[in-house]
Amino acid sequence: MSKLKVLEAKEAERMLLKAGFKLLRSKGSHRIYEREKERIVIPFHIGRSLHPKIVKQVLKTIDNIE
């Protein structure tokens, strides 16, 4: 199994916006993005990398679109 890329929230946000997602809302330190009927929540903690499960979810969501 290949290793997942380490992402920070800003990088994940950049990837999602490039894939056509729009920022729907933010609550606390979480930002919710939406494209058509797909939603994804990104915890936005500056200086911390995202959990591998969230990285996998972001990459899977972007691959389904493109």
Side-chain angles (χ1 to χ4, degrees):
M1 179 180 270
S2 64
K3 287 193 170 197
L4 290 175
K5 183 178 177 182
V6 176
L7 287 179
E8 289 189 6
K10 284 193 176 230
E11 294 174 82
E13 178 183 43
R14 211 172 299 130
M15 292 170 66
L16 289 170
L17 293 175
K18 187 176 178 181
F21 279 81
K22 303 288 183 205
L23 179 62
L24 185 61
R25 66 178 188 269
S26 70
K27 183 174 183 178
S29 62
H30 291 76
R31 294 185 183 176
I32 297 101
Y33 299 90
E34 182 178 53
R35 180 175 185 266
E36 296 177 9
K37 294 187 180 190
E38 277 188 293
R39 283 191 186 173
I40 187 165
V41 178
I42 303 292
F44 221 87
H45 302 283
I46 302 297
R48 292 184 58 193
S49 59
L50 295 174
H51 191 277
K53 287 182 179 181
I54 296 173
V55 173
K56 187 175 180 179
Q57 181 184 20
V58 168
L59 296 175
K60 181 180 174 187
T61 303
I62 290 172
D63 283 342
N64 286 343
I65 295 168
E66 295 175 347

